[in-house]
Amino acid sequence: MSNSGSDDVRCGTYEKPYLTLNYALSRVKDGGTIHIQDELVYAANYTWEAHGKDVIITGDDRDATVETLDFSAMSDLSINDGVTFRNIKLIYPTNEHKRIFAEGHKLVIESTVDVVNKGQLLGGSRTSDVQSTHLEVYSGNYSSIYGGTTNNHNVTGDTHIIVGGNVNAAADVTSHSYSYCLYGAGYNGTVSGNTYITVQKGAKFNYVYGGGESSTAIVKGSTNIEFAGQAMSIYGGSKEGTNADTHVVMTGGQVEQIFGGCEKTSMTGNTDVRVQGGTVLRRIYGGCYNDYSTSGWADTANVVTGYTSVTFGPEIDGKYATLNTDYKDDSTASDWLGMDDATYYAVSRWQTNYSSESGSEIGVFIVNDCDVESNGNKGLAGFTDFMDKTIPFLGNVSDTKPYHYLVNATLGGEVTSMGASLYIKPDSGYVATIKRIYADKSENVLATDVQTGEYQLPALESEQVELKVEFSKQ
């Protein structure tokens, strides 16, 4: 394609390029490649017509020309075909609040794309419902990326987002501003399936949400986040919307805080936060966030109706997660709080955490034999000392329970949790023995020779129950 080209069936070569993108899309085969030879500028009223194809759009690289697609004059851009952008300059609409819709097609922006202007990217459609969405983004800066969409349109299946490369290189991940956000769902509308987010090394965000943004954003399935980038905050749930079960797995990177639940609302479902690698600078809560201001706690709490779970370990490739107990932000007004607010709770962030306070919210802490080290102690001993060093956040500290179930797993396997069940996964050649540990350190064997599978948590007979899963060779 070139400004000197012609939309003629006899064209379509380097010597005789096409003139317009829509004509080139109509002529290229499904799965084919369109080569850009020029700087192509599109007017505000340009419409990308639908051709039902998946194509690659790339620069030509045969001369010094900077091959460009310039959409800066447009308000909203709907990309009505599946596209992989490669080796090209891509200029987004000038106003960062103008939107780019993938219209339910697979959209890939490779790391070789020079993205100009901060964008807002949506996997769904501007005008209708779509079956599913798939975004892969490795370049550019984005005020928001949504797996879903806006205008109350829906996704009837799943959403998929993969971000990596140098996405949001300009982001300040120490900032609490909503300047760089990632949502598995939409601003509003319903995702009837699940949301899947993968944040790879190099990508940066202020906030990552498994669900949607506004109170009318709904996820009927589960939310799933796999994280190895950098962020201020990760929420397995929504900002203000509705979602069911949540899953967050941190395998690397750095984050200040992780919440398994929602930021500004309650949720019904179970949460699952797993920290297997990377660095958590400040705090982890299995449940929802609740703000504390100079006037104290709010009258009602955002909580999870269900089980909330936080799991540490096991190691990944010989490396363990790093948990910081020395966090203190001296640059903000948080100093008036009088404490560091570096805490690790299986439940929601609230004044007290008895199960009677938040209905059916039950917190489960699992410590696989990971390198949670304190004063030379590792594993459960290190974790216990570690918890003693962290500072419960305000409220009545004597009433604050970081968990209801504490599960210690030895070397030889892995234990995770979802809902009222533990999931036991012995290494090859190993089996598990499950024990109840009492306050006086006496033990009661609950199950032996446990193979891979599900194990129901025992009844919560007291405020806290401690279990031990011992893996041994068969």
Side-chain angles (χ1 to χ4, degrees):
M1 285 177 56
S2 170
N3 288 321
S4 61
S6 176
D7 288 342
D8 188 297
V9 294
R10 293 168 295 183
C11 297
T13 64
Y14 178 77
E15 293 77 15
K16 295 182 178 181
Y18 295 128
L19 174 63
T20 66
L21 180 57
N22 277 325
Y23 191 80
L25 285 164
S26 71
R27 299 292 299 170
V28 71
K29 293 181 179 180
D30 186 25
T33 300
I34 296 174
H35 295 268
I36 308 298
Q37 297 178 338
D38 220 334
E39 181 178 355
L40 306 179
V41 180
Y42 294 87
N45 62 350
Y46 170 74
T47 299
W48 185 310
E49 297 171 0
H51 304 87
K53 298 177 180 178
D54 291 290
V55 301
I56 297 170
I57 298 179
T58 182
D60 190 79
D61 286 341
R62 295 196 186 187
D63 54 35
T65 302
V66 179
E67 294 86 3
T68 303
L69 292 178
D70 185 348
F71 300 106
S72 60
M74 300 188 66
S75 294
D76 292 334
L77 171 64
S78 289
I79 300 176
N80 286 304
D81 290 286
V83 178
T84 296
F85 289 106
R86 176 182 297 163
N87 294 323
I88 197 170
K89 178 181 281 189
L90 191 59
I91 304 180
Y92 289 158
T94 303
N95 188 328
E96 70 177 77
H97 300 294
K98 302 303 181 182
R99 301 162 298 182
I100 302 164
F101 295 88
E103 296 292 333
H105 301 287
K106 183 177 180 179
L107 175 61
V108 181
I109 302 171
E110 294 190 353
S111 60
T112 55
V113 176
D114 179 12
V115 176
V116 179
N117 295 329
K118 193 176 181 181
Q120 186 175 147
L121 190 60
L122 302 95
S125 174
R126 184 169 60 90
T127 58
S128 62
D129 296 350
V130 300
Q131 182 175 353
S132 62
T133 69
H134 188 118
L135 301 175
E136 293 187 31
V137 189
Y138 303 97
S139 182
N141 290 285
Y142 302 87
S143 57
S144 299
I145 299 177
Y146 298 92
T149 187
T150 185
N151 298 332
N152 288 308
H153 295 304
N154 308 307
V155 179
T156 59
D158 299 337
T159 70
H160 297 263
I161 303 174
I162 302 172
V163 290
N166 65 350
V167 166
N168 293 338
D172 176 7
V173 295
T174 67
S175 171
H176 289 271
S177 68
Y178 297 95
S179 300
Y180 299 87
C181 296
L182 175 59
Y183 301 90
Y187 175 79
N188 50 32
T190 297
V191 175
S192 296
N194 305 321
T195 69
Y196 297 93
I197 292 175
T198 300
V199 180
Q200 298 175 350
K201 181 181 179 180
K204 298 161 67 175
F205 292 91
N206 296 119
Y207 291 86
V208 177
Y209 301 91
E213 181 173 3
S214 77
S215 60
T216 54
I218 300 170
V219 180
K220 291 186 176 180
S222 64
T223 67
N224 303 269
I225 300 173
E226 184 173 330
F227 189 87
Q230 295 185 60
M232 163 61 71
S233 304
I234 300 173
Y235 288 88
S238 301
K239 184 178 181 181
E240 297 184 39
T242 302
N243 55 265
D245 291 347
T246 73
H247 303 270
V248 178
V249 180
M250 183 173 180
T251 59
Q254 179 175 293
V255 64
E256 181 173 311
Q257 57 185 11
I258 303 175
F259 288 82
C262 299
E263 182 183 11
K264 297 186 177 183
T265 188
S266 294
M267 60 166 279
T268 298
N270 302 308
T271 73
D272 169 28
V273 176
R274 305 182 196 179
V275 180
Q276 298 176 336
T279 299
V280 181
L281 292 176
R282 188 179 183 187
R283 58 193 182 189
I284 302 171
Y285 286 86
C288 296
Y289 175 80
N290 288 279
D291 192 23
Y292 185 91
S293 66
T294 54
S295 58
W297 295 100
D299 293 334
T300 58
N302 299 323
V303 296
V304 176
T305 300
Y307 283 74
T308 56
S309 174
V310 173
T311 301
F312 293 117
E315 66 181 65
I316 297 179
D317 298 328
K319 297 181 180 180
Y320 300 92
T322 301
L323 307 176
N324 184 18
T325 60
D326 299 320
Y327 178 89
K328 189 172 182 64
D329 185 355
D330 295 320
S331 64
T332 71
S334 64
D335 285 344
W336 60 262
L337 297 174
M339 54 183 63
D340 295 348
D341 191 15
T343 57
Y344 299 86
Y345 278 32
V347 288
S348 292
R349 179 184 190 250
W350 186 235
Q351 188 173 8
T352 61
N353 290 296
Y354 285 124
S355 58
S356 59
E357 177 189 49
S358 55
S360 58
E361 181 175 284
I362 302 294
V364 182
F365 247 132
I366 299 174
V367 185
N368 288 287
D369 197 74
C370 55
D371 196 15
V372 180
E373 181 173 354
S374 180
N375 295 332
N377 297 312
K378 296 185 179 181
L380 181 62
F383 177 78
T384 302
D385 187 76
F386 173 82
M387 291 297 294
D388 289 341
K389 287 170 59 180
T390 62
I391 304 173
F393 185 79
L394 300 179
N396 185 346
V397 175
S398 64
D399 285 347
T400 305
K401 303 296 181 184
Y403 55 81
H404 301 95
Y405 290 94
L406 174 61
V407 183
N408 175 40
T410 66
L411 283 171
E414 177 183 0
V415 179
T416 59
S417 171
M418 193 66 186
S421 297
L422 297 178
Y423 292 88
I424 312 296
K425 186 179 179 181
D427 293 342
S428 178
Y430 283 74
V431 293
T433 298
I434 303 174
K435 299 179 179 180
R436 168 79 184 271
I437 310 298
Y438 294 94
D440 61 1
K441 301 304 178 182
S442 61
E443 301 178 350
N444 179 33
V445 176
L446 303 178
T448 59
D449 296 324
V450 177
Q451 306 286 338
T452 297
E454 181 179 354
Y455 181 82
Q456 196 78 9
L457 285 166
L460 191 63
E461 300 170 351
S462 59
E463 285 296 332
Q464 293 178 310
V465 170
E466 183 178 334
L467 302 175
K468 187 174 184 178
V469 180
E470 292 182 341
F471 293 104
S472 58
K473 290 186 177 181
Q474 289 179 298

